[in-house]
Amino acid sequence: MGDSHAWTAAPAAAEQARSVLAAAWSCAVTAEGGREEFVGAHTVGDDGQVFLHVPEDSALLGAAICAPRGEPSAVLEFADVAPVPVRGRIRARLWLAGWFAVADWHLAFRPTRVVLRRPSGSVVVDLDEFAAAEPDPLALAEARLLTHLADCHGDAVERLTRLVEADSLHGAVRVRPLAVDRHGLTLRIERARAHGDVRLPFHAPADDIGQLTERVHVLLSQASAASCPRALQRQRTDGDG
């Protein structure tokens, strides 16, 4: 047991920002022409540059074409939404401030400031680190992985709570998988009027689905060897689980 949970790293801010950007399906754009919401309209370059494919009658495209310098300033907002229904599904928000340029009737956005807001607070991401970072290798598969875990393996989620300190489970009415990345799995613990998150780090990073499966099996083996927390026993006894 000496090496249990030895790997405690979490995604760096730049990596998490790029993961949010890679997985987001929609974005909100605030510019001189007002605010517009776009769904399935953006792609991301290797350096984090955002390309927005908008309708020809978009006010944003018109503002870009008519801007004196041809580069209107704008703020792009992306939300990181938990794929599993939980209380408070917004896990993080990402803001990119910068300039648009028209390219082949599409918009290329060059960020000059990147801000990531997480539950622990907001952080300004270094632009060079943002450009050099890569999304988490599990980012695009996370939604499918978490919904499968929640819908088909509720017993495994309950078993994993044996790795959580009993105090953190006090008053829990529901525990759901909230997030997974190459470094670990996060559980959302919901109580009657509040909620909290507990991170279960992997013993080593997982760079693909196969490695992730092995990492989760290690956690489950560790959980099977642990005693069941009293708080969870009360939850089952009271018929609330």
Side-chain angles (χ1 to χ4, degrees):
M1 297 293 290
D3 62 347
S4 296
H5 302 297
W7 180 261
T8 58
E15 180 183 356
Q16 187 176 359
R18 290 295 299 270
S19 298
V20 172
L21 191 59
W25 182 241
S26 64
C27 71
V29 181
T30 303
E32 287 93 335
R35 180 182 174 89
E36 292 188 69
E37 302 275 348
F38 297 96
V39 177
H42 74 277
T43 56
V44 185
D46 291 340
D47 61 353
Q49 186 175 20
V50 178
F51 300 94
L52 198 59
H53 309 275
V54 300
E56 292 184 3
D57 60 352
S58 167
L60 183 61
L61 180 60
I65 294 173
C66 298
R69 294 176 53 220
E71 293 185 337
S73 62
V75 175
L76 276 59
E77 179 182 347
F78 301 87
D80 177 25
V81 183
V84 174
V86 292
R87 184 187 301 147
R89 293 184 70 172
I90 304 297
R91 303 180 299 188
R93 290 188 185 276
L94 176 67
W95 286 277
L96 306 180
W99 301 88
F100 272 122
V102 180
D104 296 327
W105 292 96
H106 297 308
L107 296 172
F109 183 79
R110 183 176 68 255
T112 57
R113 183 177 174 86
V114 178
V115 178
L116 177 68
R117 189 178 76 187
R118 302 176 284 194
S120 58
S122 297
V123 58
V124 177
V125 181
D126 179 83
L127 291 176
D128 291 336
E129 293 179 2
F130 177 77
E134 295 183 359
D136 186 274
L138 304 175
L140 297 182
E142 184 195 25
R144 173 173 55 85
L145 293 169
L146 287 182
T147 53
H148 178 74
L149 180 61
D151 295 343
C152 303
H153 299 285
D155 57 332
V157 175
E158 179 175 316
R159 199 191 324 169
L160 287 171
T161 61
R162 298 183 181 187
L163 299 175
V164 178
E165 295 291 337
D167 288 347
S168 297
L169 288 172
H170 181 72
V173 297
R174 187 170 72 160
V175 179
R176 303 279 275 172
L178 176 71
V180 67
D181 55 61
R182 66 192 297 261
H183 302 292
L185 174 69
T186 301
L187 302 179
R188 165 64 53 85
I189 300 174
E190 296 183 348
R191 303 176 182 84
R193 291 189 177 88
H195 61 266
D197 301 333
V198 174
R199 185 170 176 82
L200 303 178
F202 299 142
H203 67 275
D207 293 326
D208 54 42
I209 302 295
Q211 291 182 1
L212 173 66
T213 300
E214 187 274 337
R215 305 300 188 262
V216 173
H217 283 166
V218 169
L219 288 180
L220 288 170
S221 296
Q222 294 171 347
S224 295
S227 59
C228 186
R230 285 187 226 169
L232 198 59
Q233 286 177 337
R234 279 202 302 272
Q235 176 182 324
R236 289 201 299 267
T237 302
D238 295 341
D240 200 6

